[in-house]
């Protein structure tokens, strides 16, 4: 994977935060920290896209049926007994 050099500008507070993260051992240097932030942002966007897709699928899956909470509880109790 090729690397590209970027120049960013941080406030003093932001720079102190990044330095603190490095000093605490969470990251080796500024670049690792920034790449970590980008990865987390990408993962969050992917999770959001998956959630939206699931909502869309749920909305288009047909007419909703009433929830029988007693049946849900009974099924949960049955699973708990089976696992014990």
């Amino acid at each position: 994977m090729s690397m590209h050099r970027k120049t960013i500008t941080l406030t003093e507070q932001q720079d102190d935060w990044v330095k603190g993260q490095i000093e605490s051992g969470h990251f080796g240097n500024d670049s690792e920290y920034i790449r970590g932030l980008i990865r987390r942002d990408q993962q969050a966007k992917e999770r959001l896209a998956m959630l939206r897709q699931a909502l869309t699928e749920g909305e288009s899956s047909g007419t909703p049926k009433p929830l029988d909470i007693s049946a849900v509880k009974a099924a949960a109790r049955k699973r708990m007994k089976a696992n014990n």
Side-chain angles (χ1 to χ4, degrees):
M1 179 185 306
S2 66
M3 301 294 258
H4 299 271
R5 182 174 296 276
K6 301 283 183 184
T7 301
I8 62 169
T9 304
L10 303 174
T11 65
E12 186 174 339
Q13 179 188 18
Q14 291 168 333
D15 189 50
D16 289 343
W17 176 262
V18 173
K19 287 177 183 174
Q21 295 301 302
I22 294 165
E23 289 169 2
S24 67
H26 292 102
F27 300 92
N29 57 44
D30 296 23
S31 292
E32 286 181 14
Y33 180 72
I34 299 299
R35 287 192 299 269
L37 290 176
I38 292 169
R39 274 191 299 277
R40 282 198 337 234
D41 187 48
Q42 289 171 325
Q43 291 167 349
K45 299 282 189 293
E46 289 171 7
R47 285 191 304 269
L48 184 57
M50 288 172 42
L51 177 59
R52 285 185 173 141
Q53 179 64 31
L55 288 170
T56 300
E57 290 173 8
E59 289 172 346
S60 63
S61 67
T63 306
K65 298 174 186 161
L67 178 65
D68 181 356
I69 195 66
S70 297
V72 172
K73 288 179 179 180
R77 286 187 193 104
K78 185 176 179 180
R79 278 195 304 261
M80 287 179 62
K81 283 183 181 181
N83 289 335
N84 290 336

